[in-house]
């Protein structure tokens, strides 16, 4: 007899917990497949510590194959679900198509960055939902301080040492707190001009920091940030972003090269593509997490609008603690639905009460209210780190070891240059993957139920602006930008290839033969040159060595064998490339963005 096939889409907090629960309940009696773009589960709550140089990137990842022994991981992104044929169509990291058949389907696709129609934001801001963005931010902060210390004029130095974070929810608050300590440490190693020091601004349209939490936690976070010198500006946001800075809603123009976008998330566009009833971009489900009319389909995490049985008429927010526990209920219910004669009677409804939250403010500072008990200072810091160690499904010893080393040793203030600005655009539907030249698979959705509303634009919903994905974020938002914006962000990687094909073909031929019939490596062979005079620096894809943008395959990343600077990833060509050329140090860089379903595993933060 054929074993039932179960497909889980997404390995965030909800998807990972579903797979782990199912594997234990099925005990080998079902084929469980977990479809995810990466081969790891990302513990998003600790991502700000990766950007601040406290934790190494792999510390916050948990191997799927190493921890889910009875589950078959499949690398890929779900492109389409055929509910009638019971198949999931996906694309793997190398662009190949695949299909998975199922008897039970669990949708836990999570969420993506939420964009508001603010001029310049898509081009000049960066989110904070995956490792690529965290690595980029870490390099970017280091680069700005190093460039500022290298002897340029005072105005340029001040702009490079000014960092703007939009969104005072969990993500924005933690990024500002950890980032401020990180840049202060960098300045000690790279002294700036007299009278200049790093300046951090935390903006939000809400009336207070962490508006979705208890006011005592909000006051604690606000006090700690202000004591460190962070400018906390409530009721203020960005009106326009440019290459040289940001125009605030209060009329002030702030010269900066760094814009971190942490205003919330929206459900993954896969949910709306199903054509089923939605609630503000999320798939409507029963309390048992089943999709009405489709008993073989379950949904949980940020992709699902789950009725809140504790608050009739409302839906559970897009928080990690809800996603983590919904995953457990989904796993149990899927297993129960496979039992002969089980039916709906064996399914449990999802019901949960918050057990408290923790907010890591860097150093020994934190704010927490476990079981309703308000804590602050070092005690809250110990509780926060203890909670994270207990909640992580792996890597506990390595994380604890990094914390210990950070307490006794200075951080390594170096930039690796592995992730470039153009490879982590804000308007991507796949923040967990860095974009590579010529990769069309990660184009953002243009519109949908998760689109920005008038309320978003006018700041009508403070909770949406207050980061939400971490613990309680908004569900509105869309990519309001059209294909022209996509072209600008990609640096014309695709467009330029077609226009310049003939010219590049001639250049490549001449270079390959060197005019003498002798063959030399071409850009298509990769972008790292064995004859490079500067192997420590990466190359531009529109650079002088004749490389063609958009030719690299995903597995090659942005490396080319004939690169004069193989140690740094290739830049895209076109207008965006000029801004994003960090070696010229002119682009306003990174930024954090909410941690929704991926953050889902955050548990009762």
């Amino acid at each position: 007899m054929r074993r039932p096939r179960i497909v889980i889409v997404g390995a965030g907090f909800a998807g990972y917990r579903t797979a782990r629960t199912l594997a234990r309940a099925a005990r080998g009696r079902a084929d469980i497949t977990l479809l995810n773009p990466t081969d790891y589960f990302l513990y998003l709550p600790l991502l700000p510590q990766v950007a601040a140089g406290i934790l190494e990137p792999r510390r916050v990842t948990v191997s799927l194959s190493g921890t889910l022994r009875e589950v078959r991981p499949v690398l890929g992104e779900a492109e389409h679900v055929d509910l009638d044929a019971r198949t999931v169509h996906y694309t793997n990291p190398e662009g190949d198509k695949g299909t998975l058949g199922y008897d039970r389907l669990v949708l836990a696709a999570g969420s993506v960055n939420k964009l508001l129609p603010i001029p310049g934001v898509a081009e000049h801001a960066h989110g904070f939902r995956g490792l690529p963005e965290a690595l980029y931010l870490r390099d970017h902060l280091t680069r700005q301080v190093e460039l500022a210390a290298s002897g340029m004029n005072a105005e340029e130095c001040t702009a490079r040492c000014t960092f703007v974070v939009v969104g005072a929810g969990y993500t924005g608050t933690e990024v500002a707190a950890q980032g401020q300590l990180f840049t202060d440490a960098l300045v000690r190693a790279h002294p700036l001009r007299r009278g200049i020091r790093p300046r951090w601004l935390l903006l939000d349209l809400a009336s207070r920091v962490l508006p979705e939490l208890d006011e005592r936690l909000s006051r604690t976070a606000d006090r700690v940030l202000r004591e460190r010198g962070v400018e906390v500006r409530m009721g203020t946001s960005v009106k326009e972003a440019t290459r040289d800075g940001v125009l605030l809603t209060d009329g002030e123009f702030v010269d900066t090269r760094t814009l971190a976008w942490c205003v919330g998330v929206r459900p993954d566009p896969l949910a709306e593509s199903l054509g089923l009833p939605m609630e503000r971009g999320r798939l409507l489900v029963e309390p048992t997490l089943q999709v009405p009319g489709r008993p073989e389909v379950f949904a949980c995490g940020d992709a699902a609008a789950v009725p809140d049985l504790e608050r009739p008429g409302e839906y559970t927010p897009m928080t990690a603690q809800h996603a983590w526990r919904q995953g457990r209920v989904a796993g149990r219910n899927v297993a129960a639905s496979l039992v002969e004669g089980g039916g709906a009677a064996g399914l449990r409804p999802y019901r949960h009460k918050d057990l408290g939250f923790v907010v890591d403010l860097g150093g020994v500072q934190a704010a927490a209210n476990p079981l309703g008990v308000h804590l602050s200072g070092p005690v809250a810091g110990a509780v926060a780190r203890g909670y994270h160690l207990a909640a992580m499904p792996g890597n506990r010893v390595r994380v604890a070891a990094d914390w210990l080393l950070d307490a006794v040793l200075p951080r390594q203030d170096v930039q690796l240059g592995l992730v470039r600005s153009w490879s982590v655009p804000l308007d991507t539907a796949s923040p967990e993957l860095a974009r590579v030249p010529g990769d069309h698979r990660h184009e953002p959705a243009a519109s949908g139920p998760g689109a920005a509303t008038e309320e978003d634009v006018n700041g009508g919903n403070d909770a949406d602006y207050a980061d939400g994905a971490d613990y309680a974020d908004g569900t509105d938002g869309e990519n309001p930008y059209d294909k022209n914006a996509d072209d600008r962000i990609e640096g014309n990687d695709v467009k330029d290839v077609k226009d310049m094909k003939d010219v590049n073909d001639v250049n490549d031929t001449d270079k390959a033969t060197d005019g003498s019939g002798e063959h030399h490596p071409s850009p298509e062979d990769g972008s790292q040159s064995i004859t490079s005079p500067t192997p420590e620096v990466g190359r531009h894809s529109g650079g002088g060595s004749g490389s063609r943008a958009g030719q690299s395959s995903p597995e090659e990343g942005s490396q080319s064998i004939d690169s004069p600077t193989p140690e740094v990833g290739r830049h895209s060509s076109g207008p965006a490339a000029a801004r994003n050329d960090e070696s010229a140090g002119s682009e306003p860089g990174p930024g954090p963005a909410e941690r929704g379903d991926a953050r889902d595993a955050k548990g009762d933060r």
Side-chain angles (χ1 to χ4, degrees):
M1 181 178 178
R2 181 177 65 84
R3 295 191 300 176
R5 300 166 302 171
I6 304 169
V7 174
I8 303 168
V9 178
F13 281 66
Y16 181 88
R17 188 76 184 275
T18 299
R20 192 169 74 171
T21 303
L22 256 175
R24 293 175 178 174
R27 298 180 181 178
R29 295 190 296 269
D31 289 329
I32 306 172
T33 300
L34 181 58
L35 179 65
N36 197 57
T38 63
D39 62 354
Y40 59 80
F41 157 74
L42 178 63
Y43 189 73
L44 273 166
L46 294 180
L47 205 57
Q49 296 191 29
V50 173
I54 299 172
L55 297 176
E56 288 304 308
R58 283 186 293 182
R59 303 294 188 260
V60 299
T61 65
V62 177
S63 168
L64 299 181
S65 59
T67 56
L68 301 174
R69 299 293 185 182
E70 302 297 326
V71 176
R72 179 172 70 101
V74 173
L75 286 178
E77 296 182 75
E79 302 288 347
H80 171 67
V81 177
D82 189 330
L83 296 174
D84 294 326
R86 295 194 178 189
T87 55
V88 177
H89 301 269
Y90 69 94
T91 302
N92 73 16
E94 296 185 351
D96 299 325
K97 304 293 183 179
T99 303
L100 298 171
Y102 65 84
D103 297 302
R104 295 291 185 275
L105 174 66
V106 180
L107 292 171
S111 52
V112 298
N113 294 322
K114 180 175 69 175
L115 278 173
L116 301 179
I118 298 175
V121 165
E123 296 89 342
H124 303 291
H126 289 277
F128 201 76
R129 290 197 38 76
L131 277 179
E133 292 169 320
L135 291 174
Y136 170 76
L137 179 57
R138 178 173 170 178
D139 272 3
H140 177 81
L141 296 180
T142 305
R143 182 180 304 115
Q144 296 310 305
V145 172
E146 290 177 346
L147 289 173
S150 63
M152 58 186 61
N153 61 66
E155 292 77 12
E156 184 75 7
C157 179
T158 299
R160 291 195 180 280
C161 290
T162 299
F163 310 96
V164 178
V165 180
V166 184
Y170 282 95
T171 302
T173 299
E174 291 183 348
V175 166
Q178 297 282 3
Q180 188 273 334
L181 293 178
F182 182 49
T183 52
D184 277 1
L186 289 172
V187 168
R188 288 194 289 271
H190 305 278
L192 303 176
R193 287 170 171 263
R194 183 184 300 274
I196 297 178
R197 67 182 299 266
R199 177 191 181 195
W200 282 81
L201 287 80
L202 179 61
L203 314 176
D204 203 305
L205 289 179
S207 59
R208 59 185 175 90
V209 174
L210 300 173
E212 65 273 24
L213 297 189
D214 182 273
E215 287 193 21
R216 290 176 296 179
L217 294 180
S218 176
R219 287 196 298 269
T220 297
D222 186 276
R223 173 180 55 79
V224 171
L225 291 173
R226 293 181 187 274
E227 287 176 352
R228 290 181 184 167
V230 176
E231 298 180 33
V232 180
R233 299 193 184 184
M234 297 294 96
T236 305
S237 188
V238 172
K239 184 177 182 180
E240 181 180 0
T242 70
R243 169 181 174 176
D244 299 318
V246 294
L247 176 64
L248 305 185
T249 53
D250 62 6
E252 178 184 357
F253 186 85
V254 178
D255 293 319
T256 182
R257 300 294 182 271
T258 306
L259 178 58
W261 191 252
C262 306
V263 300
V265 296
R266 63 186 175 93
D268 190 287
L270 178 66
E272 71 169 281
S273 70
L274 299 178
L276 297 173
M278 310 289 290
E279 167 62 27
R280 301 183 73 186
R282 295 194 286 172
L283 196 61
L284 278 171
V285 297
E286 303 287 351
T288 58
L289 307 182
Q290 282 181 305
V291 175
R294 295 282 180 175
E296 76 281 4
V297 180
F298 294 75
C300 53
D302 290 354
V306 182
D308 192 338
L309 300 183
E310 300 296 325
R311 301 176 181 178
E314 298 183 20
Y315 298 94
T316 58
M318 296 165 64
T319 67
Q321 58 179 284
H322 282 294
W324 187 242
R325 285 158 179 75
Q326 286 170 11
R328 184 171 131 186
V329 173
R332 289 178 173 176
N333 285 349
V334 170
S337 71
L338 295 173
V339 177
E340 186 175 354
L347 306 186
R348 301 181 182 179
Y350 173 73
R351 187 187 299 271
H352 172 66
K353 292 184 178 180
D354 293 339
L355 300 179
F357 297 90
V358 296
V359 183
D360 193 334
L361 300 175
V364 298
Q365 296 294 324
N369 61 348
L371 301 177
V373 179
H374 179 68
L375 302 173
S376 62
V379 175
V383 169
R385 291 198 168 184
Y387 168 76
H388 289 315
L389 286 181
M392 287 191 70
N395 278 358
R396 296 186 182 96
V397 174
R398 291 186 173 93
V399 169
D402 272 8
W403 283 340
L404 177 61
L405 291 175
D406 182 69
V408 298
L409 297 175
R411 299 178 195 176
Q412 295 178 290
D413 52 343
V414 297
Q415 48 174 314
L416 300 179
L418 299 178
V419 181
R420 312 306 292 178
S421 175
W422 66 271
S423 64
V424 284
L426 182 64
D427 67 338
T428 178
S430 304
E432 64 278 358
L433 297 176
R435 179 176 293 178
V436 298
D439 188 355
H440 307 279
R441 295 176 295 108
H442 303 144
E443 297 286 346
S447 62
T453 64
E454 181 179 357
E455 197 174 44
D456 289 326
V457 178
N458 297 326
N461 190 338
D462 291 342
D464 286 349
Y465 248 90
D467 163 15
D470 280 358
Y471 311 81
D473 48 314
T475 57
D476 295 3
E478 82 166 329
N479 172 16
Y481 303 93
D482 58 14
K483 186 62 175 66
N484 293 331
D486 295 338
D487 287 342
R488 286 197 300 274
I489 293 175
E490 289 194 34
N492 299 324
D493 279 349
V494 178
K495 181 181 67 176
D496 289 351
V497 171
K498 182 177 180 180
D499 296 341
M500 297 297 295
K501 184 177 188 299
D502 294 337
V503 176
N504 284 333
D505 285 343
V506 174
N507 291 338
D508 293 341
T509 302
D510 291 342
K511 182 172 184 176
T513 61
D514 198 22
S516 62
E518 180 181 354
H519 178 76
H520 298 281
S522 69
E524 291 85 344
D525 295 328
S527 118
Q528 296 236 322
S529 173
I530 55 177
T531 61
S532 168
T534 53
E536 66 289 345
V537 181
R539 148 193 236 173
H540 296 242
S541 60
S545 57
S547 63
R548 275 193 274 176
Q551 290 296 316
S552 302
S553 66
E555 65 276 12
E556 292 168 340
S558 58
Q559 309 282 318
S560 173
I561 198 168
D562 68 340
S563 168
T565 53
E567 62 288 349
V568 177
R570 174 183 293 179
H571 294 240
S572 60
S573 61
R579 182 187 69 80
N580 292 334
D581 181 0
E582 269 110 26
S583 63
S586 59
E587 111 285 351
E594 291 345 300
R595 319 160 195 159
D597 191 20
R599 196 129 206 219
D600 283 19
K602 187 146 204 171
D604 282 316
R605 248 186 105 170

